Amino acid sequence: MRDSLLIRAAFSEKTERPPVWMMRQAGRFMKEYWEIKNKYSFLEMCKTPELAADVTMLPVDLLGIDGAILFSDILVTPEAMGGDLSFGANVGPKFSNPVRTMADIDALEIDVTHKLQYVADAIKVIQQRLNGKIPLIGFAGAPFTVMSYLVEGGSSKDFKLTKLMLHNHPEMAHRLLSKIAKVTVDYLNMQIAAGVNAVQLFDSWATALAWDDYKEFSHNYNVDIISKLNRKDIPVISFCKGSSVFAPLMAEAKPDVISIDWNADLLNIKQSLPKGIAVQGNLDPHILYADKAVIKDRIYKLFDRMKDEPGFIFNLGHGIMPDIPFDNVKYAVEIIKEFRY
Ligand code: CP3
């Protein structure tokens, strides 16, 4: 796998074209996903290795992308720590026992990899099915983003309770973030031991934070996590919404790749980073709703801009939306695979 397009680009080596994968590629924009989802709950799908493998393989088989991403969720770690997690139809994730006090934080478990064995099992089944064709990307949520779900009890628009905890009770926030960081290191190293070929740390909601708060409550934990991963030949991709602003700090954590949201000019960001850090991104996912001529124009413009910079992986600035037409996603992958620098 070290010689695959994706891993070479992640290690900033020259490739004949940019490799392509897309965040949330294993999901709801495919009717084949719904054929499985209509029979099982989301958590059953995550916890049954054969089903997780079936879903992971959908974009591999139907789109021909250059990297598979493990089908799972960032919330399986807080669930293993003691969060009572459910996913209702159209309401997103819920924790019925939100974490609001020091006693709540103290009650969370941190030696939990045994409870996540189903993920290691899924990785083994997926690698058998991939059979060396393309790399498999593992992932986990970053502590701040995971914390927000535990504290809010689910998704949030403004992260009011989470930010109140940071501002009024920083000692509580740090205790909680430290516990999540410990679990995240063990969990990602478990995925690496089970056979993933790259890992991505998702800090989706870092964009809610001011610079100093990002540094203290998010970035410092990501630095710690990345420094403790068994990363020989395993590139580490650091993603956050807000990366257009936070990229210089993210680089200090020394990931191999920084995944950039769609606000920034990708070449400017790449050139501002230390040598040896690749970039991933950064098409606005809404472009995939547009006409095919627009899709091609925007993707090829991005490629033209990045053509002299080894260390570029094509991705979206954030995940694919569930109602993006499958045909448009397939078209995007096709024109990317036809492209040559
Ligand atoms: O990228 C992939 O295709 C791999 C699988 C994957 C899922 N979630 C599957 C999923 C990954 C990498 C994630 C990560 C994840 N989960 C993140 C970080 C990435 C990001 O997009 O920012 C976050 C914030 C979550 C938390 C989460 N899980 C939410 C908010 C939801 C609600 C659904 C929504 O509106 O996005 C989920 C559920 C979820 N995770 C689904 C899938 C396919 C939908 C489940 C369903 O079928 O209803």
Side-chain angles (χ1 to χ4, degrees), residues 24-26 28 33 37 42 72-73 139 149 202 204 318:
R24 294 285 174 103
Q25 68 188 20
R28 292 164 290 181
Y33 173 84
K37 178 67 201 288
F42 176 67
S72 186
D73 200 84
F139 69 93
Y149 285 96
F202 281 94
S204 307
H318 199 185

Side-chain angles (χ1 to χ4, degrees), residues 2 6 82 109 124 129 143 165 167 244 266 279 283 336:
R2 180 62 186 80
L6 181 73
E109 290 175 56
K124 288 175 191 153
R129 303 230 197 139
M165 190 186 284
H167 298 144
S244 319
L266 196 59
V279 289
L283 192 77
I336 292 168

Side-chain angles (χ1 to χ4, degrees), residues 220-240:
N220 285 345
Y221 291 94
N222 298 345
V223 172
D224 178 56
I225 291 168
I226 292 174
S227 75
K228 291 177 176 159
L229 298 180
N230 302 325
R231 47 199 291 204
K232 184 173 163 9
D233 289 340
I234 308 289
V236 175
I237 309 170
S238 179
F239 165 78
C240 80

Side-chain angles (χ1 to χ4, degrees), residues 143-144 147 165-167 169-171 173-174 177 209 212-221:
F144 170 72
M147 170 193 176
M165 190 186 284
L166 307 186
H167 298 144
H169 301 287
E171 70 299 340
H174 281 301
L177 289 162
L209 295 174
D212 286 345
D213 284 339
Y214 172 73
K215 202 168 173 175
E216 178 176 351
F217 297 104
S218 172
H219 170 66
N220 285 345
Y221 291 94

Side-chain angles (χ1 to χ4, degrees), residues 1-9 11 13 197 233-235:
M1 272 313 115
R2 180 62 186 80
D3 295 333
S4 64
L5 213 54
L6 181 73
I7 305 295
R8 276 161 51 216
F11 283 128
E13 293 164 19
N197 308 107
D233 289 340
I234 308 289

Side-chain angles (χ1 to χ4, degrees), residues 38 158 245:
N38 288 338
D158 57 7
V245 173

